[in-house]
Amino acid sequence: MIYLIIALIVLGIIAFAAGFFREKKLKRQLDRGEITELPSIKQVEDMECCGQHETCEKESLLAAVSKQIEYFNDEELDRFRGVESSDYLPDEIEEFRDVLYTMKEDEVAGWVRSLQLRAVALPDELKDEVFMIVGERRT
């Protein structure tokens, strides 16, 4: 156990020293005109998963992950706002199913998040299909 603690302390010191010397080197390059500015962290707005989270935001079904409402050519479904997931008629369920099966597999999780943010409940009859599609995409 003591070796593990010592190893962690040594790694911390090495990481600190490496960062310190890198910063010093970059400042020297900046002073000599070899670079015009210090490198900064770039925010990537890529639609691919970054791999830094256990569950990719793009594939998450939770509305809390994203607050941005995105429409998938399904604006007509907004009329079901406030309807309980068990109260849909067969024709209304087919409307949801048509939208579900006309989109790409990688859009399904975003569509479900969008429905949640718009307070439109997914019909109970489609939930298993949605979970299957999203689950297959994750594996």
Side-chain angles (χ1 to χ4, degrees):
M1 182 70 172
I2 191 82
Y3 294 116
L4 182 61
I5 294 171
I6 292 172
L8 287 174
I9 292 171
V10 169
L11 284 175
I13 292 169
I14 290 171
F16 175 78
F20 176 78
F21 289 118
R22 179 182 181 269
E23 188 72 21
K24 197 171 183 179
K25 177 185 169 194
L26 287 172
K27 285 183 181 180
R28 268 195 312 246
Q29 287 178 336
L30 183 64
D31 291 340
R32 287 185 279 184
E34 294 175 15
I35 58 174
T36 57
E37 61 183 37
L38 291 175
S40 62
I41 297 173
K42 296 180 183 178
Q43 295 292 333
V44 178
E45 299 275 336
D46 193 6
M47 289 305 292
E48 294 298 319
C49 290
C50 63
Q52 295 180 354
H53 306 97
E54 186 174 334
T55 302
C56 181
E57 178 179 320
K58 182 180 174 189
E59 295 177 354
S60 176
L61 297 174
L62 301 174
V65 171
S66 173
K67 295 295 181 193
Q68 182 178 1
I69 295 176
E70 183 177 350
Y71 283 91
F72 295 84
N73 292 326
D74 65 342
E75 294 83 4
E76 69 276 2
L77 298 179
D78 282 346
R79 74 178 191 274
F80 298 117
R81 184 173 288 140
V83 175
E84 292 294 320
S85 62
S86 59
D87 293 342
Y88 288 105
L89 301 173
D91 289 344
E92 296 169 341
I93 295 169
E94 282 307 309
E95 281 187 63
F96 281 88
R97 186 172 277 125
D98 287 343
V99 173
L100 173 63
Y101 286 108
T102 56
M103 67 179 54
K104 298 175 188 172
E105 286 182 359
D106 62 337
E107 295 176 331
V108 174
W111 177 61
V112 173
R113 272 196 321 272
S114 173
L115 289 176
Q116 290 174 351
L117 291 169
R118 292 158 37 200
V120 176
L122 186 68
D124 287 340
E125 291 80 359
L126 291 181
K127 288 180 180 177
D128 288 338
E129 295 172 50
V130 167
F131 291 139
M132 185 178 69
I133 291 170
V134 173
E136 286 177 359
R137 171 110 176 99
R138 286 182 182 165
T139 58

